[in-house]
Amino acid sequence: MRKNRQIAVVGAGLMGHGIALTLARAGQYVCITDPAAEARESVSRRISDSLSTLGEPEERIAKILKKIEVSNSIAAAVRDADVVFEAALEKLALKQEIFAEVEEYAPESCILASNTSVMPITGIMGGLRLKSRALGTHWWNPPHMIPLVEVVCTEWTEDVVANDMMALLDDAGKTPVRVQKDVPGFIGNRLQHALWREAISLVENGICDAEAVDTVIKSSFGRRLAVLGPLENADLVGTDLTLDIHENVLCDLESRTAPSPYLARLVAEGRLGMKSGQGFRDWTEEDAAALRQRVARHLTRLEGILLD
């Protein structure tokens, strides 16, 4: 794999700007584009702000920004690209349309990657002529702070393409994990939303309130999750004890295959979370801002530890 590659990022929003700055920060050349003029015009400032949050000095920020070009069109952005990352909205038709245009203008040797949280990559890439060079890369939000990137292979993805992507991400300081089968939600979101389903069920069934759920997780097993994964934990306590616990509790866990009616009712009532002031919990603008700041400080501290 060449050390310096030409990277194209399609989409200059929250995810796209973070992907672009991560790769430019690692020494890659990046061309970013977005159909919205406002997004194109503001992306350099937003990248600069994010780099500043990460503790980068002004001189280094200036050098990183020189590696990032903003383009007015997909055709111009991908024409000389070695790798294209799509970071558009979670709309299947939109992503399919973008990759049809990308394939028209990008070199045939270019790797094509879609950033999506849950959508099967097979559905996004199924219309391409050269499907073997396409895969998914699920960057977690915010992409410049969260180490994990899930590299999702379809039935058509060539091993050399997946290996090349893994190497590129590793070189950029990320923690890539290869997902061998293209399933909705990949690995991380299947695990995360299995937890959310049970958390919502506990509140829905009057076992506790939302604050209690969040407190239990943050004050118990959540504290060790960063250093002890669930299967490591199962091996730590013993698979025999794990089996005994499962025989007593799994039959009573939430197992519905549709969204919770309680969750659907919150949405129908306009209780959309922080943006509306109410969700599972009530939020003032001050409370919401304070929580976002705590999360950012926490992730920044972890980023600093990782850089050390």
Side-chain angles (χ1 to χ4, degrees), residues 156-214:
W156 310 299
T157 306
E158 291 184 351
D159 280 345
V160 66
V161 171
N163 292 339
D164 198 358
M165 178 59 73
M166 295 280 288
L168 173 66
L169 294 168
D170 183 69
D171 188 58
K174 308 308 289 183
T175 303
V177 171
R178 185 163 172 170
V179 184
Q180 302 283 14
K181 291 185 178 181
D182 181 23
V183 295
F186 319 130
I187 300 171
N189 267 321
R190 290 174 79 94
L191 294 170
Q192 179 173 233
H193 285 276
L195 174 60
W196 289 18
R197 178 173 61 182
E198 184 60 30
I200 294 169
S201 179
L202 289 169
V203 176
E204 180 180 3
N205 288 290
I207 297 166
C208 62
D209 61 15
E211 183 177 0
V213 169
D214 292 334

Side-chain angles (χ1 to χ4, degrees), residues 2 40 103 107 138 153 162 170 181 216 242 262 291:
R2 297 204 317 273
R40 295 194 305 270
E103 189 170 46
H138 175 211
C153 300
D170 183 69
K181 291 185 178 181
V216 165
T242 301
Y262 178 71
L291 179 59

Side-chain angles (χ1 to χ4, degrees), residues 43-296:
V43 68
S44 294
R45 173 187 53 78
R46 289 183 283 117
I47 288 174
S48 178
D49 290 344
S50 294
L51 288 168
S52 180
T53 299
L54 292 174
E56 292 283 10
E58 289 188 11
E59 288 185 7
R60 169 109 167 114
I61 291 173
K63 289 180 180 179
I64 293 170
L65 288 174
K66 287 181 180 179
K67 290 183 175 292
I68 301 173
E69 176 187 355
V70 182
S71 176
N72 291 332
S73 70
I74 288 177
V78 307
R79 186 170 291 120
D80 300 315
D82 297 305
V83 182
V84 174
F85 291 96
E86 166 269 314
L89 298 174
E90 292 281 288
K91 297 181 183 296
L92 177 60
L94 174 61
K95 290 179 183 288
Q96 291 171 333
E97 181 181 333
I98 287 171
F99 278 108
E101 187 172 357
V102 168
E103 189 170 46
E104 181 178 353
Y105 294 105
E108 290 193 354
S109 59
C110 178
I111 295 175
L112 308 183
S114 176
N115 178 65
T116 174
S117 300
V118 296
M119 295 170 60
I121 306 303
T122 301
I124 296 171
M125 304 297 197
L128 297 180
R129 289 182 295 102
L130 299 177
K131 301 179 182 66
S132 60
R133 60 172 173 162
L135 41 63
T137 51
H138 175 211
W139 298 65
W140 286 69
N141 182 26
H144 50 289
M145 290 185 175
I146 303 294
L148 181 67
V149 181
E150 293 173 286
V151 177
V152 187
C153 300
T154 73
E155 61 183 293
W156 310 299
T157 306
E158 291 184 351
D159 280 345
V160 66
V161 171
N163 292 339
D164 198 358
M165 178 59 73
M166 295 280 288
L168 173 66
L169 294 168
D170 183 69
D171 188 58
K174 308 308 289 183
T175 303
V177 171
R178 185 163 172 170
V179 184
Q180 302 283 14
K181 291 185 178 181
D182 181 23
V183 295
F186 319 130
I187 300 171
N189 267 321
R190 290 174 79 94
L191 294 170
Q192 179 173 233
H193 285 276
L195 174 60
W196 289 18
R197 178 173 61 182
E198 184 60 30
I200 294 169
S201 179
L202 289 169
V203 176
E204 180 180 3
N205 288 290
I207 297 166
C208 62
D209 61 15
E211 183 177 0
V213 169
D214 292 334
T215 299
V216 165
I217 292 171
K218 291 186 291 185
S219 301
S220 60
F221 66 87
R223 294 204 168 195
R224 62 184 180 229
L225 280 176
V227 295
L228 185 68
L231 299 184
E232 287 176 322
N233 199 2
D235 276 347
L236 178 65
V237 303
T239 55
D240 51 345
L241 176 58
T242 301
L243 178 60
D244 289 342
I245 293 171
H246 282 193
E247 286 177 340
N248 284 279
V249 74
L250 288 188
C251 61
D252 202 50
L253 295 182
E254 184 58 68
S255 60
R256 62 164 62 105
T257 57
S260 160
Y262 178 71
L263 175 61
R265 187 164 68 251
L266 291 182
V267 173
E269 293 173 355
R271 296 171 60 185
L272 305 179
M274 292 183 185
K275 59 187 173 184
S276 67
Q278 286 184 308
F280 290 100
R281 304 170 67 167
D282 293 339
W283 297 96
T284 65
E285 290 186 8
E286 294 76 16
D287 289 340
L291 179 59
R292 292 189 181 98
Q293 289 175 0
R294 287 200 302 275
V295 172

